[in-house]
Amino acid sequence: MREGRFREDLFYRINLITVRLPALRERPDDIPLLVNFFVQNLRTTYHRPALRISTAALHWLRTLPLAGNIRELKNLVERAVLVSGKDELGPEDFQAHFQKMPQEMRRAPICPQSAR
């Protein structure tokens, strides 16, 4: 509005309520629900009906800071599905892709072998 790019009258029409949606890293309990939703959709998209995600992978994914929020999580899941030839995705299927992300986005621990 200050720069004259947005009409002030429209701003006041749409500015009725402010909704604060916490970042995904603040809602780790939502991550397994979202990952399972993405996997369910990707089964159909990529014709992989037996595709599933291990409990260890879900646990590891909950530890991610996910600076990119839901889109980053979705891309990480889809990348793992496309690259992995396995029906069950484990932490290792995500870790390799997570390590390739920019340094500021990589703040999650590597899942120890015993946690699988």
Side-chain angles (χ1 to χ4, degrees):
M1 286 188 331
R2 288 184 198 140
E3 296 174 9
R5 293 184 179 176
F6 197 86
R7 288 182 23 200
E8 190 172 352
D9 64 310
L10 289 179
F11 174 76
Y12 289 112
R13 283 185 181 183
I14 62 173
N15 189 26
L16 296 175
I17 187 169
T18 301
V19 177
R20 182 190 178 284
L21 182 60
L24 191 53
R25 66 185 164 271
E26 297 173 34
R27 302 175 289 136
D29 292 339
D30 290 352
I31 292 174
L33 298 170
L34 289 165
V35 169
N36 283 317
F37 175 77
F38 298 147
V39 168
Q40 181 180 349
N41 288 334
L42 294 170
R43 280 184 197 126
T44 303
T45 301
Y46 295 113
H47 308 289
R48 294 183 59 187
L51 187 64
R52 62 191 179 281
I53 185 159
S54 73
T55 303
L58 287 174
H59 177 73
W60 185 80
L61 288 166
R62 288 186 72 206
T63 68
L64 299 180
L66 296 169
N69 260 324
I70 292 174
R71 184 167 298 180
E72 179 184 359
L73 179 62
K74 182 181 184 296
N75 289 345
L76 184 61
V77 172
E78 188 163 10
R79 194 175 301 117
V81 167
L82 290 171
V83 173
S84 175
K86 302 183 296 185
D87 285 337
E88 182 174 59
L89 300 175
E92 66 281 358
D93 296 307
F94 298 95
Q95 290 166 351
H97 305 295
F98 186 72
Q99 294 303 319
K100 293 177 186 174
M101 291 179 168
Q103 184 67 31
E104 63 273 5
M105 298 173 107
R106 291 188 293 124
R107 294 196 181 105
I110 299 296
C111 182
Q113 296 289 334
S114 60
R116 286 188 203 161

mmCIF file with all atom_site columns, all heavy atoms in Angstrom, residues 64-68 72 75-76 79 94-108:
data_model
loop_
_atom_site.group_PDB
_atom_site.id
_atom_site.type_symbol
_atom_site.label_atom_id
_atom_site.label_alt_id
_atom_site.label_comp_id
_atom_site.label_asym_id
_atom_site.label_entity_id
_atom_site.label_seq_id
_atom_site.pdbx_PDB_ins_code
_atom_site.Cartn_x
_atom_site.Cartn_y
_atom_site.Cartn_z
_atom_site.occupancy
_atom_site.B_iso_or_equiv
_atom_site.pdbx_formal_charge
_atom_site.auth_seq_id
_atom_site.auth_comp_id
_atom_site.auth_asym_id
_atom_site.auth_atom_id
_atom_site.pdbx_PDB_model_num
ATOM 1   N N   . LEU A 1 64  ? 13.273 -33.353 11.359 1.00 0.00 ? 64  LEU A N   1
ATOM 2   C CA  . LEU A 1 64  ? 13.762 -32.358 10.409 1.00 0.00 ? 64  LEU A CA  1
ATOM 3   C C   . LEU A 1 64  ? 13.267 -30.958 10.743 1.00 0.00 ? 64  LEU A C   1
ATOM 4   O O   . LEU A 1 64  ? 12.123 -30.777 11.135 1.00 0.00 ? 64  LEU A O   1
ATOM 5   C CB  . LEU A 1 64  ? 13.304 -32.709 8.991  1.00 0.00 ? 64  LEU A CB  1
ATOM 6   C CG  . LEU A 1 64  ? 13.782 -34.031 8.419  1.00 0.00 ? 64  LEU A CG  1
ATOM 7   C CD1 . LEU A 1 64  ? 13.249 -34.211 7.016  1.00 0.00 ? 64  LEU A CD1 1
ATOM 8   C CD2 . LEU A 1 64  ? 15.280 -34.126 8.436  1.00 0.00 ? 64  LEU A CD2 1
ATOM 9   N N   . PRO A 1 65  ? 14.105 -29.951 10.552 1.00 0.00 ? 65  PRO A N   1
ATOM 10  C CA  . PRO A 1 65  ? 13.670 -28.577 10.799 1.00 0.00 ? 65  PRO A CA  1
ATOM 11  C C   . PRO A 1 65  ? 12.730 -28.055 9.714  1.00 0.00 ? 65  PRO A C   1
ATOM 12  O O   . PRO A 1 65  ? 11.945 -27.159 9.960  1.00 0.00 ? 65  PRO A O   1
ATOM 13  C CB  . PRO A 1 65  ? 14.982 -27.786 10.809 1.00 0.00 ? 65  PRO A CB  1
ATOM 14  C CG  . PRO A 1 65  ? 15.939 -28.604 10.037 1.00 0.00 ? 65  PRO A CG  1
ATOM 15  C CD  . PRO A 1 65  ? 15.526 -30.041 10.238 1.00 0.00 ? 65  PRO A CD  1
ATOM 16  N N   . LEU A 1 66  ? 12.788 -28.584 8.506  1.00 0.00 ? 66  LEU A N   1
ATOM 17  C CA  . LEU A 1 66  ? 11.910 -28.249 7.395  1.00 0.00 ? 66  LEU A CA  1
ATOM 18  C C   . LEU A 1 66  ? 11.694 -26.752 7.228  1.00 0.00 ? 66  LEU A C   1
ATOM 19  O O   . LEU A 1 66  ? 10.591 -26.236 7.378  1.00 0.00 ? 66  LEU A O   1
ATOM 20  C CB  . LEU A 1 66  ? 10.566 -28.980 7.547  1.00 0.00 ? 66  LEU A CB  1
ATOM 21  C CG  . LEU A 1 66  ? 10.687 -30.501 7.467  1.00 0.00 ? 66  LEU A CG  1
ATOM 22  C CD1 . LEU A 1 66  ? 9.401  -31.160 7.898  1.00 0.00 ? 66  LEU A CD1 1
ATOM 23  C CD2 . LEU A 1 66  ? 11.075 -30.939 6.079  1.00 0.00 ? 66  LEU A CD2 1
ATOM 24  N N   . ALA A 1 67  ? 12.745 -26.079 6.888  1.00 0.00 ? 67  ALA A N   1
ATOM 25  C CA  . ALA A 1 67  ? 12.664 -24.636 6.663  1.00 0.00 ? 67  ALA A CA  1
ATOM 26  C C   . ALA A 1 67  ? 11.693 -24.302 5.540  1.00 0.00 ? 67  ALA A C   1
ATOM 27  O O   . ALA A 1 67  ? 11.088 -23.240 5.534  1.00 0.00 ? 67  ALA A O   1
ATOM 28  C CB  . ALA A 1 67  ? 14.054 -24.083 6.344  1.00 0.00 ? 67  ALA A CB  1
ATOM 29  N N   . GLY A 1 68  ? 11.539 -25.227 4.596  1.00 0.00 ? 68  GLY A N   1
ATOM 30  C CA  . GLY A 1 68  ? 10.634 -25.002 3.479  1.00 0.00 ? 68  GLY A CA  1
ATOM 31  C C   . GLY A 1 68  ? 9.215  -25.446 3.743  1.00 0.00 ? 68  GLY A C   1
ATOM 32  O O   . GLY A 1 68  ? 8.363  -25.402 2.869  1.00 0.00 ? 68  GLY A O   1
ATOM 33  N N   . GLU A 1 72  ? 8.602  -28.449 1.107  1.00 0.00 ? 72  GLU A N   1
ATOM 34  C CA  . GLU A 1 72  ? 9.900  -29.115 1.237  1.00 0.00 ? 72  GLU A CA  1
ATOM 35  C C   . GLU A 1 72  ? 9.713  -30.575 1.609  1.00 0.00 ? 72  GLU A C   1
ATOM 36  O O   . GLU A 1 72  ? 10.366 -31.465 1.063  1.00 0.00 ? 72  GLU A O   1
ATOM 37  C CB  . GLU A 1 72  ? 10.753 -28.417 2.290  1.00 0.00 ? 72  GLU A CB  1
ATOM 38  C CG  . GLU A 1 72  ? 12.101 -29.062 2.483  1.00 0.00 ? 72  GLU A CG  1
ATOM 39  C CD  . GLU A 1 72  ? 12.902 -28.424 3.605  1.00 0.00 ? 72  GLU A CD  1
ATOM 40  O OE1 . GLU A 1 72  ? 12.432 -27.460 4.230  1.00 0.00 ? 72  GLU A OE1 1
ATOM 41  O OE2 . GLU A 1 72  ? 14.024 -28.907 3.846  1.00 0.00 ? 72  GLU A OE2 1
ATOM 42  N N   . ASN A 1 75  ? 8.387  -32.525 -1.438 1.00 0.00 ? 75  ASN A N   1
ATOM 43  C CA  . ASN A 1 75  ? 9.447  -32.753 -2.423 1.00 0.00 ? 75  ASN A CA  1
ATOM 44  C C   . ASN A 1 75  ? 10.418 -33.829 -1.954 1.00 0.00 ? 75  ASN A C   1
ATOM 45  O O   . ASN A 1 75  ? 10.868 -34.655 -2.747 1.00 0.00 ? 75  ASN A O   1
ATOM 46  C CB  . ASN A 1 75  ? 10.197 -31.456 -2.718 1.00 0.00 ? 75  ASN A CB  1
ATOM 47  C CG  . ASN A 1 75  ? 9.368  -30.485 -3.515 1.00 0.00 ? 75  ASN A CG  1
ATOM 48  O OD1 . ASN A 1 75  ? 8.352  -30.842 -4.090 1.00 0.00 ? 75  ASN A OD1 1
ATOM 49  N ND2 . ASN A 1 75  ? 9.791  -29.238 -3.542 1.00 0.00 ? 75  ASN A ND2 1
ATOM 50  N N   . LEU A 1 76  ? 10.738 -33.826 -0.675 1.00 0.00 ? 76  LEU A N   1
ATOM 51  C CA  . LEU A 1 76  ? 11.641 -34.833 -0.118 1.00 0.00 ? 76  LEU A CA  1
ATOM 52  C C   . LEU A 1 76  ? 11.035 -36.228 -0.253 1.00 0.00 ? 76  LEU A C   1
ATOM 53  O O   . LEU A 1 76  ? 11.706 -37.176 -0.660 1.00 0.00 ? 76  LEU A O   1
ATOM 54  C CB  . LEU A 1 76  ? 11.942 -34.506 1.345  1.00 0.00 ? 76  LEU A CB  1
ATOM 55  C CG  . LEU A 1 76  ? 12.953 -35.401 2.052  1.00 0.00 ? 76  LEU A CG  1
ATOM 56  C CD1 . LEU A 1 76  ? 14.318 -35.330 1.380  1.00 0.00 ? 76  LEU A CD1 1
ATOM 57  C CD2 . LEU A 1 76  ? 13.058 -34.986 3.514  1.00 0.00 ? 76  LEU A CD2 1
ATOM 58  N N   . ARG A 1 79  ? 10.882 -37.217 -4.038 1.00 0.00 ? 79  ARG A N   1
ATOM 59  C CA  . ARG A 1 79  ? 12.223 -37.532 -4.525 1.00 0.00 ? 79  ARG A CA  1
ATOM 60  C C   . ARG A 1 79  ? 12.641 -38.930 -4.074 1.00 0.00 ? 79  ARG A C   1
ATOM 61  O O   . ARG A 1 79  ? 13.179 -39.716 -4.849 1.00 0.00 ? 79  ARG A O   1
ATOM 62  C CB  . ARG A 1 79  ? 13.212 -36.485 -4.008 1.00 0.00 ? 79  ARG A CB  1
ATOM 63  C CG  . ARG A 1 79  ? 14.543 -36.498 -4.693 1.00 0.00 ? 79  ARG A CG  1
ATOM 64  C CD  . ARG A 1 79  ? 15.441 -35.363 -4.226 1.00 0.00 ? 79  ARG A CD  1
ATOM 65  N NE  . ARG A 1 79  ? 14.858 -34.052 -4.457 1.00 0.00 ? 79  ARG A NE  1
ATOM 66  C CZ  . ARG A 1 79  ? 14.541 -33.179 -3.488 1.00 0.00 ? 79  ARG A CZ  1
ATOM 67  N NH1 . ARG A 1 79  ? 14.774 -33.453 -2.231 1.00 0.00 ? 79  ARG A NH1 1
ATOM 68  N NH2 . ARG A 1 79  ? 14.012 -32.019 -3.784 1.00 0.00 ? 79  ARG A NH2 1
ATOM 69  N N   . PHE A 1 94  ? 15.666 -41.201 2.534  1.00 0.00 ? 94  PHE A N   1
ATOM 70  C CA  . PHE A 1 94  ? 15.477 -39.761 2.673  1.00 0.00 ? 94  PHE A CA  1
ATOM 71  C C   . PHE A 1 94  ? 16.779 -39.044 3.004  1.00 0.00 ? 94  PHE A C   1
ATOM 72  O O   . PHE A 1 94  ? 16.996 -37.921 2.577  1.00 0.00 ? 94  PHE A O   1
ATOM 73  C CB  . PHE A 1 94  ? 14.442 -39.470 3.774  1.00 0.00 ? 94  PHE A CB  1
ATOM 74  C CG  . PHE A 1 94  ? 13.097 -40.025 3.454  1.00 0.00 ? 94  PHE A CG  1
ATOM 75  C CD1 . PHE A 1 94  ? 12.716 -41.265 3.931  1.00 0.00 ? 94  PHE A CD1 1
ATOM 76  C CD2 . PHE A 1 94  ? 12.214 -39.313 2.664  1.00 0.00 ? 94  PHE A CD2 1
ATOM 77  C CE1 . PHE A 1 94  ? 11.470 -41.781 3.627  1.00 0.00 ? 94  PHE A CE1 1
ATOM 78  C CE2 . PHE A 1 94  ? 10.969 -39.820 2.352  1.00 0.00 ? 94  PHE A CE2 1
ATOM 79  C CZ  . PHE A 1 94  ? 10.597 -41.062 2.831  1.00 0.00 ? 94  PHE A CZ  1
ATOM 80  N N   . GLN A 1 95  ? 17.646 -39.706 3.755  1.00 0.00 ? 95  GLN A N   1
ATOM 81  C CA  . GLN A 1 95  ? 18.861 -39.056 4.239  1.00 0.00 ? 95  GLN A CA  1
ATOM 82  C C   . GLN A 1 95  ? 19.779 -38.618 3.114  1.00 0.00 ? 95  GLN A C   1
ATOM 83  O O   . GLN A 1 95  ? 20.349 -37.531 3.166  1.00 0.00 ? 95  GLN A O   1
ATOM 84  C CB  . GLN A 1 95  ? 19.594 -39.971 5.221  1.00 0.00 ? 95  GLN A CB  1
ATOM 85  C CG  . GLN A 1 95  ? 18.844 -40.119 6.515  1.00 0.00 ? 95  GLN A CG  1
ATOM 86  C CD  . GLN A 1 95  ? 19.345 -41.256 7.376  1.00 0.00 ? 95  GLN A CD  1
ATOM 87  O OE1 . GLN A 1 95  ? 20.156 -42.063 6.945  1.00 0.00 ? 95  GLN A OE1 1
ATOM 88  N NE2 . GLN A 1 95  ? 18.851 -41.324 8.593  1.00 0.00 ? 95  GLN A NE2 1
ATOM 89  N N   . ALA A 1 96  ? 19.910 -39.426 2.105  1.00 0.00 ? 96  ALA A N   1
ATOM 90  C CA  . ALA A 1 96  ? 20.789 -39.078 0.992  1.00 0.00 ? 96  ALA A CA  1
ATOM 91  C C   . ALA A 1 96  ? 20.315 -37.792 0.316  1.00 0.00 ? 96  ALA A C   1
ATOM 92  O O   . ALA A 1 96  ? 21.125 -36.930 -0.035 1.00 0.00 ? 96  ALA A O   1
ATOM 93  C CB  . ALA A 1 96  ? 20.838 -40.212 -0.020 1.00 0.00 ? 96  ALA A CB  1
ATOM 94  N N   . HIS A 1 97  ? 19.016 -37.638 0.168  1.00 0.00 ? 97  HIS A N   1
ATOM 95  C CA  . HIS A 1 97  ? 18.464 -36.447 -0.485 1.00 0.00 ? 97  HIS A CA  1
ATOM 96  C C   . HIS A 1 97  ? 18.506 -35.255 0.444  1.00 0.00 ? 97  HIS A C   1
ATOM 97  O O   . HIS A 1 97  ? 18.728 -34.128 0.013  1.00 0.00 ? 97  HIS A O   1
ATOM 98  C CB  . HIS A 1 97  ? 17.040 -36.717 -0.946 1.00 0.00 ? 97  HIS A CB  1
ATOM 99  C CG  . HIS A 1 97  ? 16.948 -37.920 -1.819 1.00 0.00 ? 97  HIS A CG  1
ATOM 100 N ND1 . HIS A 1 97  ? 17.542 -37.984 -3.053 1.00 0.00 ? 97  HIS A ND1 1
ATOM 101 C CD2 . HIS A 1 97  ? 16.376 -39.127 -1.615 1.00 0.00 ? 97  HIS A CD2 1
ATOM 102 C CE1 . HIS A 1 97  ? 17.323 -39.176 -3.579 1.00 0.00 ? 97  HIS A CE1 1
ATOM 103 N NE2 . HIS A 1 97  ? 16.628 -39.883 -2.726 1.00 0.00 ? 97  HIS A NE2 1
ATOM 104 N N   . PHE A 1 98  ? 18.300 -35.497 1.714  1.00 0.00 ? 98  PHE A N   1
ATOM 105 C CA  . PHE A 1 98  ? 18.337 -34.412 2.685  1.00 0.00 ? 98  PHE A CA  1
ATOM 106 C C   . PHE A 1 98  ? 19.746 -33.832 2.777  1.00 0.00 ? 98  PHE A C   1
ATOM 107 O O   . PHE A 1 98  ? 19.919 -32.628 2.908  1.00 0.00 ? 98  PHE A O   1
ATOM 108 C CB  . PHE A 1 98  ? 17.873 -34.915 4.055  1.00 0.00 ? 98  PHE A CB  1
ATOM 109 C CG  . PHE A 1 98  ? 17.742 -33.817 5.068  1.00 0.00 ? 98  PHE A CG  1
ATOM 110 C CD1 . PHE A 1 98  ? 16.701 -32.904 4.982  1.00 0.00 ? 98  PHE A CD1 1
ATOM 111 C CD2 . PHE A 1 98  ? 18.650 -33.688 6.095  1.00 0.00 ? 98  PHE A CD2 1
ATOM 112 C CE1 . PHE A 1 98  ? 16.569 -31.885 5.903  1.00 0.00 ? 98  PHE A CE1 1
ATOM 113 C CE2 . PHE A 1 98  ? 18.530 -32.669 7.025  1.00 0.00 ? 98  PHE A CE2 1
ATOM 114 C CZ  . PHE A 1 98  ? 17.489 -31.770 6.925  1.00 0.00 ? 98  PHE A CZ  1
ATOM 115 N N   . GLN A 1 99  ? 20.765 -34.679 2.659  1.00 0.00 ? 99  GLN A N   1
ATOM 116 C CA  . GLN A 1 99  ? 22.151 -34.219 2.739  1.00 0.00 ? 99  GLN A CA  1
ATOM 117 C C   . GLN A 1 99  ? 22.520 -33.337 1.542  1.00 0.00 ? 99  GLN A C   1
ATOM 118 O O   . GLN A 1 99  ? 23.454 -32.560 1.619  1.00 0.00 ? 99  GLN A O   1
ATOM 119 C CB  . GLN A 1 99  ? 23.115 -35.404 2.832  1.00 0.00 ? 99  GLN A CB  1
ATOM 120 C CG  . GLN A 1 99  ? 22.975 -36.191 4.119  1.00 0.00 ? 99  GLN A CG  1
ATOM 121 C CD  . GLN A 1 99  ? 23.179 -35.329 5.360  1.00 0.00 ? 99  GLN A CD  1
ATOM 122 O OE1 . GLN A 1 99  ? 24.051 -34.496 5.405  1.00 0.00 ? 99  GLN A OE1 1
ATOM 123 N NE2 . GLN A 1 99  ? 22.359 -35.561 6.369  1.00 0.00 ? 99  GLN A NE2 1
ATOM 124 N N   . LYS A 1 100 ? 21.780 -33.436 0.439  1.00 0.00 ? 100 LYS A N   1
ATOM 125 C CA  . LYS A 1 100 ? 22.069 -32.625 -0.746 1.00 0.00 ? 100 LYS A CA  1
ATOM 126 C C   . LYS A 1 100 ? 21.410 -31.253 -0.685 1.00 0.00 ? 100 LYS A C   1
ATOM 127 O O   . LYS A 1 100 ? 21.650 -30.412 -1.541 1.00 0.00 ? 100 LYS A O   1
ATOM 128 C CB  . LYS A 1 100 ? 21.597 -33.358 -2.005 1.00 0.00 ? 100 LYS A CB  1
ATOM 129 C CG  . LYS A 1 100 ? 22.396 -34.612 -2.284 1.00 0.00 ? 100 LYS A CG  1
ATOM 130 C CD  . LYS A 1 100 ? 21.847 -35.343 -3.482 1.00 0.00 ? 100 LYS A CD  1
ATOM 131 C CE  . LYS A 1 100 ? 22.567 -36.667 -3.668 1.00 0.00 ? 100 LYS A CE  1
ATOM 132 N NZ  . LYS A 1 100 ? 21.968 -37.471 -4.728 1.00 0.00 ? 100 LYS A NZ  1
ATOM 133 N N   . MET A 1 101 ? 20.573 -31.026 0.331  1.00 0.00 ? 101 MET A N   1
ATOM 134 C CA  . MET A 1 101 ? 19.896 -29.736 0.473  1.00 0.00 ? 101 MET A CA  1
ATOM 135 C C   . MET A 1 101 ? 20.903 -28.675 0.922  1.00 0.00 ? 101 MET A C   1
ATOM 136 O O   . MET A 1 101 ? 21.942 -28.999 1.480  1.00 0.00 ? 101 MET A O   1
ATOM 137 C CB  . MET A 1 101 ? 18.778 -29.836 1.507  1.00 0.00 ? 101 MET A CB  1
ATOM 138 C CG  . MET A 1 101 ? 17.628 -30.672 1.058  1.00 0.00 ? 101 MET A CG  1
ATOM 139 S SD  . MET A 1 101 ? 16.405 -30.728 2.374  1.00 0.00 ? 101 MET A SD  1
ATOM 140 C CE  . MET A 1 101 ? 15.048 -31.434 1.499  1.00 0.00 ? 101 MET A CE  1
ATOM 141 N N   . PRO A 1 102 ? 20.567 -27.400 0.720  1.00 0.00 ? 102 PRO A N   1
ATOM 142 C CA  . PRO A 1 102 ? 21.460 -26.333 1.178  1.00 0.00 ? 102 PRO A CA  1
ATOM 143 C C   . PRO A 1 102 ? 21.760 -26.467 2.668  1.00 0.00 ? 102 PRO A C   1
ATOM 144 O O   . PRO A 1 102 ? 20.918 -26.906 3.447  1.00 0.00 ? 102 PRO A O   1
ATOM 145 C CB  . PRO A 1 102 ? 20.658 -25.054 0.898  1.00 0.00 ? 102 PRO A CB  1
ATOM 146 C CG  . PRO A 1 102 ? 19.702 -25.435 -0.181 1.00 0.00 ? 102 PRO A CG  1
ATOM 147 C CD  . PRO A 1 102 ? 19.394 -26.895 0.037  1.00 0.00 ? 102 PRO A CD  1
ATOM 148 N N   . GLN A 1 103 ? 22.957 -26.057 3.062  1.00 0.00 ? 103 GLN A N   1
ATOM 149 C CA  . GLN A 1 103 ? 23.438 -26.228 4.438  1.00 0.00 ? 103 GLN A CA  1
ATOM 150 C C   . GLN A 1 103 ? 22.458 -25.670 5.474  1.00 0.00 ? 103 GLN A C   1
ATOM 151 O O   . GLN A 1 103 ? 22.238 -26.282 6.505  1.00 0.00 ? 103 GLN A O   1
ATOM 152 C CB  . GLN A 1 103 ? 24.804 -25.551 4.595  1.00 0.00 ? 103 GLN A CB  1
ATOM 153 C CG  . GLN A 1 103 ? 25.442 -25.757 5.961  1.00 0.00 ? 103 GLN A CG  1
ATOM 154 C CD  . GLN A 1 103 ? 25.840 -27.200 6.214  1.00 0.00 ? 103 GLN A CD  1
ATOM 155 O OE1 . GLN A 1 103 ? 26.172 -27.918 5.297  1.00 0.00 ? 103 GLN A OE1 1
ATOM 156 N NE2 . GLN A 1 103 ? 25.795 -27.618 7.456  1.00 0.00 ? 103 GLN A NE2 1
ATOM 157 N N   . GLU A 1 104 ? 21.868 -24.509 5.226  1.00 0.00 ? 104 GLU A N   1
ATOM 158 C CA  . GLU A 1 104 ? 20.988 -23.908 6.222  1.00 0.00 ? 104 GLU A CA  1
ATOM 159 C C   . GLU A 1 104 ? 19.713 -24.712 6.445  1.00 0.00 ? 104 GLU A C   1
ATOM 160 O O   . GLU A 1 104 ? 19.028 -24.538 7.438  1.00 0.00 ? 104 GLU A O   1
ATOM 161 C CB  . GLU A 1 104 ? 20.642 -22.459 5.857  1.00 0.00 ? 104 GLU A CB  1
ATOM 162 C CG  . GLU A 1 104 ? 19.872 -22.287 4.567  1.00 0.00 ? 104 GLU A CG  1
ATOM 163 C CD  . GLU A 1 104 ? 20.760 -22.191 3.327  1.00 0.00 ? 104 GLU A CD  1
ATOM 164 O OE1 . GLU A 1 104 ? 21.987 -22.347 3.435  1.00 0.00 ? 104 GLU A OE1 1
ATOM 165 O OE2 . GLU A 1 104 ? 20.202 -21.968 2.241  1.00 0.00 ? 104 GLU A OE2 1
ATOM 166 N N   . MET A 1 105 ? 19.391 -25.619 5.535  1.00 0.00 ? 105 MET A N   1
ATOM 167 C CA  . MET A 1 105 ? 18.195 -26.444 5.687  1.00 0.00 ? 105 MET A CA  1
ATOM 168 C C   . MET A 1 105 ? 18.520 -27.795 6.319  1.00 0.00 ? 105 MET A C   1
ATOM 169 O O   . MET A 1 105 ? 17.626 -28.516 6.708  1.00 0.00 ? 105 MET A O   1
ATOM 170 C CB  . MET A 1 105 ? 17.528 -26.649 4.325  1.00 0.00 ? 105 MET A CB  1
ATOM 171 C CG  . MET A 1 105 ? 17.072 -25.376 3.686  1.00 0.00 ? 105 MET A CG  1
ATOM 172 S SD  . MET A 1 105 ? 16.497 -25.682 2.027  1.00 0.00 ? 105 MET A SD  1
ATOM 173 C CE  . MET A 1 105 ? 14.757 -25.486 2.279  1.00 0.00 ? 105 MET A CE  1
ATOM 174 N N   . ARG A 1 106 ? 19.803 -28.147 6.427  1.00 0.00 ? 106 ARG A N   1
ATOM 175 C CA  . ARG A 1 106 ? 20.208 -29.458 6.921  1.00 0.00 ? 106 ARG A CA  1
ATOM 176 C C   . ARG A 1 106 ? 20.620 -29.387 8.390  1.00 0.00 ? 106 ARG A C   1
ATOM 177 O O   . ARG A 1 106 ? 21.768 -29.241 8.711  1.00 0.00 ? 106 ARG A O   1
ATOM 178 C CB  . ARG A 1 106 ? 21.385 -30.002 6.116  1.00 0.00 ? 106 ARG A CB  1
ATOM 179 C CG  . ARG A 1 106 ? 21.024 -30.373 4.727  1.00 0.00 ? 106 ARG A CG  1
ATOM 180 C CD  . ARG A 1 106 ? 22.160 -31.083 4.021  1.00 0.00 ? 106 ARG A CD  1
ATOM 181 N NE  . ARG A 1 106 ? 23.284 -30.180 3.803  1.00 0.00 ? 106 ARG A NE  1
ATOM 182 C CZ  . ARG A 1 106 ? 24.513 -30.448 4.235  1.00 0.00 ? 106 ARG A CZ  1
ATOM 183 N NH1 . ARG A 1 106 ? 24.783 -31.537 4.892  1.00 0.00 ? 106 ARG A NH1 1
ATOM 184 N NH2 . ARG A 1 106 ? 25.492 -29.609 4.001  1.00 0.00 ? 106 ARG A NH2 1
ATOM 185 N N   . ARG A 1 107 ? 19.659 -29.552 9.261  1.00 0.00 ? 107 ARG A N   1
ATOM 186 C CA  . ARG A 1 107 ? 19.978 -29.520 10.679 1.00 0.00 ? 107 ARG A CA  1
ATOM 187 C C   . ARG A 1 107 ? 19.393 -30.715 11.412 1.00 0.00 ? 107 ARG A C   1
ATOM 188 O O   . ARG A 1 107 ? 19.188 -30.678 12.598 1.00 0.00 ? 107 ARG A O   1
ATOM 189 C CB  . ARG A 1 107 ? 19.469 -28.228 11.291 1.00 0.00 ? 107 ARG A CB  1
ATOM 190 C CG  . ARG A 1 107 ? 20.196 -27.032 10.747 1.00 0.00 ? 107 ARG A CG  1
ATOM 191 C CD  . ARG A 1 107 ? 19.993 -25.816 11.597 1.00 0.00 ? 107 ARG A CD  1
ATOM 192 N NE  . ARG A 1 107 ? 20.691 -24.696 10.999 1.00 0.00 ? 107 ARG A NE  1
ATOM 193 C CZ  . ARG A 1 107 ? 20.103 -23.713 10.346 1.00 0.00 ? 107 ARG A CZ  1
ATOM 194 N NH1 . ARG A 1 107 ? 18.805 -23.693 10.234 1.00 0.00 ? 107 ARG A NH1 1
ATOM 195 N NH2 . ARG A 1 107 ? 20.808 -22.745 9.824  1.00 0.00 ? 107 ARG A NH2 1
ATOM 196 N N   . ALA A 1 108 ? 19.099 -31.783 10.689 1.00 0.00 ? 108 ALA A N   1
ATOM 197 C CA  . ALA A 1 108 ? 18.522 -32.981 11.319 1.00 0.00 ? 108 ALA A CA  1
ATOM 198 C C   . ALA A 1 108 ? 19.600 -34.035 11.475 1.00 0.00 ? 108 ALA A C   1
ATOM 199 O O   . ALA A 1 108 ? 20.498 -34.151 10.660 1.00 0.00 ? 108 ALA A O   1
ATOM 200 C CB  . ALA A 1 108 ? 17.396 -33.535 10.461 1.00 0.00 ? 108 ALA A CB  1
#
